[in-house]
């Protein structure tokens, strides 16, 4: 099930999506009328299956062909995985920020940090450590930079 929260500011609609995207998900119905610009907050999307991916691509391609400006923000790890796998899942310039996975070196707690894609490029994908919210120890980036940030690398 996919839940949505919407905020409207003039020509900009922001939708925050939470849940999973699968065969029963109707993005057009969930999101509704889109003005000129659409911000999609993706941090709550835990899962997207292959049928969900097809529906996603079709829906957002449709909006692009109508000239809508799309921005994807705080993309969850599940969404980043698809962005890396499928070239037309999002357009290159549309991904504004993503969530990055961290693992505490001491207590093993999994954390996420939000990073703007422009900042990630600036720091050359050298991800600084976080402070673990549970034990205060050092939490370090828990993926492979070449893979997780693949979609941001110049080709
Ligand atoms: Zn910890």
């Amino acid at each position: 099930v996919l839940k949505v929260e919407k905020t409207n500011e003039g020509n900009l609609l922001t939708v925050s999506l939470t849940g999973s995207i699968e065969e029963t998900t109707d993005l057009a119905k969930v999101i509704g009328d889109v003005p000129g610009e659409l911000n999609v907050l993706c941090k709550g999307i835990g899962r997207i299956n292959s049928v969900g991916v097809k529906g996603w691509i079709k829906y957002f391609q449709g909006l692009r062909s109508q000239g809508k400006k799309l921005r994807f923000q705080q993309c969850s790890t599940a969404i980043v995985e698809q962005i890396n796998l499928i070239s037309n899942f999002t357009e290159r310039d549309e991904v504004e920020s993503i969530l990055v996975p961290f693992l505490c070196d001491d207590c093993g707690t999994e954390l996420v940090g939000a990073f703007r894609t422009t900042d990630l490029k600036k720091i050359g994908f050298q991800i600084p450590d976080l402070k673990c919210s549970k034990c205060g120890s050092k939490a370090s980036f828990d993926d492979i930079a070449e893979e997780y940030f693949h979609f941001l690398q110049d080709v």
Side-chain angles (χ1 to χ4, degrees), residues 113-141:
F115 288 83
R116 294 176 63 90
T117 50
T118 48
D119 293 337
L120 287 166
K121 285 184 199 169
K122 254 182 237 162
I123 59 173
F125 311 105
Q126 300 296 309
I127 305 303
D129 294 328
L130 282 189
K131 196 176 168 190
C132 174
S133 55
K134 235 183 196 168
C135 74
S137 263
K138 181 170 74 83
S140 37
F141 172 56

Side-chain angles (χ1 to χ4, degrees), residues 62-148:
L63 290 181
R64 282 181 203 106
S65 68
Q66 294 166 34
K68 314 284 187 189
K69 184 166 166 33
L70 308 178
R71 251 180 252 109
F72 296 93
Q73 300 170 327
Q74 299 193 20
C75 297
S76 65
T77 53
I79 293 298
V80 171
E81 206 176 297
Q82 299 303 329
I83 294 173
N84 279 317
L85 275 173
I86 302 161
S87 60
N88 62 345
F89 191 76
T90 54
E91 297 277 324
R92 212 179 149 82
D93 302 334
E94 292 170 354
V95 183
E96 193 171 277
S97 56
I98 63 170
L99 298 185
V100 172
F102 288 83
L103 186 69
C104 175
D105 295 348
D106 275 350
C107 74
T109 296
E110 291 177 14
L111 308 160
V112 288
F115 288 83
R116 294 176 63 90
T117 50
T118 48
D119 293 337
L120 287 166
K121 285 184 199 169
K122 254 182 237 162
I123 59 173
F125 311 105
Q126 300 296 309
I127 305 303
D129 294 328
L130 282 189
K131 196 176 168 190
C132 174
S133 55
K134 235 183 196 168
C135 74
S137 263
K138 181 170 74 83
S140 37
F141 172 56
D142 186 34
D143 209 297
I144 299 156
E146 294 80 49
E147 290 177 9
Y148 200 73

Side-chain angles (χ1 to χ4, degrees), residues 1 3 59 109:
V1 183
K3 281 189 202 161
Y59 174 68
T109 296

